[in-house]
Amino acid sequence: MFEVQHRDKQTRARAGLIRTAHGDIPTPVFMPVGTSGSVKGILHRDLIEDINAKIILGNTYHLYLRPGTEVMRASGGLHKFMSWDRSILTDSGGYQVFSLSSNRKLNDEGAVFRSHIDGTKHVFTPENTIDIQRVLGSDIMMVFDECAPFPCDYRYAKKSVALTHHWLDRAVKRFRETEPVWGTQQFLFPIVQGGIFDDLRKLSAEKAAGAGMAGNAIGGLSVGEPADEMYRIVEIVNEILPEDRPRYLMGVGSPVNILESIERGVDMFDCVMPTRNGRNGMLFTSGGIINIKNRKWTDDFTPIDADGPSVVSRKYSKAYLRHLVLSGEILGAQISSIHNLAFYLSLMEKAREKIREGNFGKWKASVIKKLSLRL
Amino acid sequence: MFEVQHRDKQTRARAGLIRTAHGDIPTPVFMPVGTSGSVKGILHRDLIEDINAKIILGNTYHLYLRPGTEVMRASGGLHKFMSWDRSILTDSGGYQVFSLSSNRKLNDEGAVFRSHIDGTKHVFTPENTIDIQRVLGSDIMMVFDECAPFPCDYRYAKKSVALTHHWLDRAVKRFRETEPVWGTQQFLFPIVQGGIFDDLRKLSAEKAAGAGMAGNAIGGLSVGEPADEMYRIVEIVNEILPEDRPRYLMGVGSPVNILESIERGVDMFDCVMPTRNGRNGMLFTSGGIINIKNRKWTDDFTPIDADGPSVVSRKYSKAYLRHLVLSGEILGAQISSIHNLAFYLSLMEKAREKIREGNFGKWKASVIKKLSLRL
């Protein structure tokens, strides 16, 4: 499934290729988030032509609740349902059960929760979240885990990790006992948890590595802890996760977070930041971060990002985008989201190029200063 | 500016060509509404490539309030501000002053009103609405008028028409005394008012015709009166408005309303229906009207409109679009808006073709039954 093609000489960064039934994905890769079967505000052709996304995310929690597994089954799976023939990774819903639903109760068996949409009661288990993802037909499935809150004391974190590991065993068992519903190969990634506790993270990384799955994920980070804590945990975990499998840092993050994590051996990322913050007028550019609502852009008729990778970044002016965002025009959200995602994905492409050239570390050091500048 | 190219033999329908500094516009034409400098939810390239819009609308009231005339002037006009190099027609703001603003007071001089955005006080006059539209640089400008409410008694309507005519004289004077700010030719259209009163409409049509402008508009219809009343007024007015100038029926309407009005000699239309109703899940198709929220589409995986003129109509399924609209996903609004506008514009193209072939009336009679069917 995965092949490391280049290794940076000075850092742990690597460039590789993930192969799924729906195409090849060069890594490092950023995966646009398409929670409910749609990357918010972006038509598929723009995802393909302007952003060049090779893989997007879907979410088990959302799609299970709406439109529901039966519609998903009748449609022939998520790819067909949403007319997307490139790769899809689906999150297990673990994170959403804890962040969105109400009245959730955990037990050894799984999680009982109420829908954030209509209050109906549901149960997620390690087994049924595999079954649902089989119906979704995602290329990469995630195990059901508990994403512990931050801050969280050691005792809670330890218990939570134990539960996540118990669930991992059951998920892997179900995965091995079942076949893809739609005939295309599906992979399953375990998720390393353990908060910011080094020993729990090591334990969890060993547990994940021991499952022998095609790839591994690191969850429970970027939930409020300082960035340095996150980087430290990533380093510890990546010492243990196998070199020859892709490593996916879930829900991360800013362009700087991502480059720092690539340097520490991470291959895959996802985050709502480029779309969610984009809808609110925050733009990531090669020169730094723009808050387009700022008065200073009122009569700045230069392009959003003259060197930007997307057509929309070069076509539309800052003043126009500011006007759209302030006026609450949908088009403002569309342009910002396309721009930000195209920026994220082109940054991955550049990172990959620098890894190939063997000077990732130097390049990273030079760009992160600019990337976090507030313009 | 305008050339009638074909006349239907049985009806008053005609096909023509409007020439502006920003391109040629075949008529009958439907103009997508881009109130605040954006056709809601649609990127320019989709307007051009998928919808094939040759002209869109902007609104003086909205653009004057936000981003404001000074930003418009600094940007080089609305075309440059929004990066749109095809034609633009701007409404005068008359309708919006009466429908959106608060505390409006009419006097002979003009209208004093408070912004719906921040409550600030403003004055529109026949002269300053020309001045603002000069700065916007629209290809077709509209005179400032009073759009009387419906129902409205004869006495009010008569007074209102007199005021609108008084304003027309002043607008035409200002138009003649001023030059385009950006060097591209601008036309001014008078607006026929008079409610549903035949004599007032005749009087107003004669007044408009007498102004000798390049085109004429019919306002104050589709404001709540029965469709038959509207058609009757259109017939009366079009008897008087010159044959060799385009006739623009403002704010109309449904596909059936439009075909009926084309039959009565109207050339230009605009309406928020395809975008606003689209955002709410109402789709116009060649087979009839779809309420995509209806449960019956839950597992209908056939295309939105297999024969639809837009790529999105053929790519996405009804079940997927239903899911997006019910989930409040922006993409639902985008797909519905593109589909509906593409449908409207292709209907205009077909109408034009049928006029050219000389069998518009027969074709119209056969399609309107289907067009208003509820699927």
Side-chain angles (χ1 to χ4, degrees), chain A residues 41-316:
Chain A
I42 307 186
L43 285 166
H44 296 13
R45 64 175 169 232
D46 296 331
L47 270 175
I48 291 172
E49 288 164 24
D50 214 6
I51 295 167
N52 196 22
K54 306 277 192 195
I55 177 170
I56 61 173
L57 243 71
N59 193 281
T60 301
Y61 170 87
H62 287 90
L63 294 165
Y64 159 81
L65 290 178
R66 189 169 56 191
T69 317
E70 284 322 300
V71 171
M72 278 298 157
R73 190 186 297 277
S75 73
L78 183 55
H79 287 90
K80 282 200 178 159
F81 179 67
M82 63 181 291
S83 303
W84 174 257
D85 58 12
R86 296 190 173 188
S87 301
I88 298 177
L89 179 151
T90 44
D91 196 357
S92 66
Y95 181 78
Q96 285 67 33
V97 163
F98 302 104
S99 63
L100 285 180
S101 70
S102 57
N103 278 340
R104 66 187 168 278
K105 285 197 182 70
L106 284 195
N107 56 40
D108 206 46
E109 176 61 18
V112 181
F113 62 94
R114 287 194 181 275
S115 158
H116 73 289
I117 300 168
D118 61 7
T120 49
K121 201 169 169 177
H122 302 269
V123 181
F124 268 179
T125 66
E127 290 83 8
N128 76 0
T129 51
I130 295 289
D131 297 344
I132 298 165
Q133 292 178 89
R134 286 291 196 198
V135 172
L136 295 176
S138 47
D139 300 282
I140 301 174
M141 309 188 287
M142 303 301 298
V143 300
F144 191 61
D145 63 333
E146 184 190 1
C147 179
F150 177 86
C152 140
D153 63 33
Y154 185 82
R155 232 178 108 230
Y156 186 96
K158 191 175 177 182
K159 230 179 99 182
S160 170
V161 162
L163 185 66
T164 288
H165 291 178
H166 170 58
W167 287 353
L168 169 60
D169 291 336
R170 284 165 48 195
V172 168
K173 183 163 181 283
R174 185 63 143 238
F175 173 67
R176 292 205 164 115
E177 288 169 359
T178 54
E179 293 288 328
V181 174
W182 310 112
T184 55
Q185 189 171 17
Q186 295 181 281
F187 303 105
L188 177 68
F189 284 18
I191 302 173
V192 174
Q193 289 288 355
I196 53 166
F197 303 104
D198 299 10
D199 63 329
L200 296 181
R201 283 289 179 177
K202 280 180 192 165
L203 185 76
S204 192
E206 276 153 12
K207 177 76 186 174
M213 296 288 101
N216 296 285
I218 311 170
L221 289 176
S222 202
V223 292
E225 80 286 355
D228 284 344
E229 293 278 282
M230 173 167 81
Y231 302 145
R232 185 175 54 80
I233 297 295
V234 167
E235 282 173 20
I236 291 169
V237 169
N238 281 353
E239 282 290 331
I240 297 166
L241 291 182
E243 275 286 316
D244 61 345
R245 314 280 158 103
R247 300 173 183 134
Y248 163 29
L249 181 55
M250 304 180 78
V252 175
S254 72
V256 171
N257 292 157
I258 289 176
L259 294 185
E260 292 290 357
S261 303
I262 289 173
E263 185 172 73
R264 289 163 174 83
V266 177
D267 309 292
M268 303 166 69
F269 301 89
D270 81 282
C271 190
V272 294
M273 196 179 274
T275 40
R276 182 178 293 167
N277 294 22
R279 291 198 296 280
N280 203 31
M282 183 177 179
L283 302 173
F284 300 95
T285 77
S286 47
I289 295 168
I290 288 175
N291 174 1
I292 203 70
K293 293 182 178 174
N294 197 306
R295 182 178 292 267
K296 70 190 283 192
W297 311 115
T298 305
D299 54 2
D300 186 327
F301 303 109
T302 62
I304 296 166
D305 191 352
D307 306 321
S310 155
V311 177
V312 303
S313 323
R314 300 188 300 269
K315 177 182 180 75
Y316 298 108

Side-chain angles (χ1 to χ4, degrees), chain B residues 331-346:
Chain B
L331 188 60
Q334 294 172 246
I335 293 172
S336 302
S337 299
I338 293 176
H339 164 79
N340 277 349
L341 281 177
F343 178 76
Y344 264 66
L345 270 80
S346 77

Side-chain angles (χ1 to χ4, degrees), chain A residues 35-46 48 50 62-63 66-67 70-72 74-76 80-84 279 298-299 301 310-312 315-317 319-321 323-324 326-335 338, chain B residues 35-46 48 50 62-63 66-67 70-72 74-76 80-84 279 298-299 301 310-312 315-317 319-321 323-324 326-335 338:
Chain A
T35 310
S36 294
S38 148
V39 178
K40 292 189 194 306
I42 307 186
L43 285 166
H44 296 13
R45 64 175 169 232
D46 296 331
I48 291 172
D50 214 6
H62 287 90
L63 294 165
R66 189 169 56 191
E70 284 322 300
V71 171
M72 278 298 157
S75 73
K80 282 200 178 159
F81 179 67
M82 63 181 291
S83 303
W84 174 257
R279 291 198 296 280
T298 305
D299 54 2
F301 303 109
S310 155
V311 177
V312 303
K315 177 182 180 75
Y316 298 108
S317 74
Y320 181 57
L321 181 57
H323 165 68
L324 295 176
L326 285 182
S327 303
E329 288 285 332
I330 298 179
L331 189 60
Q334 294 172 247
I335 293 172
I338 293 176
Chain B
T35 311
S36 295
S38 148
V39 179
K40 291 189 195 306
I42 306 185
L43 285 166
H44 296 14
R45 64 174 170 232
D46 296 331
I48 291 172
D50 215 6
H62 287 90
L63 294 165
R66 190 168 56 190
E70 283 323 302
V71 171
M72 278 297 159
S75 73
K80 282 200 177 159
F81 179 67
M82 63 181 291
S83 304
W84 174 258
R279 290 197 298 279
T298 305
D299 54 1
F301 303 109
S310 156
V311 177
V312 304
K315 177 182 180 72
Y316 299 108
S317 74
Y320 181 56
L321 181 57
H323 165 68
L324 295 176
L326 285 182
S327 302
E329 288 285 333
I330 298 178
L331 188 60
Q334 294 172 246
I335 293 172
I338 293 176

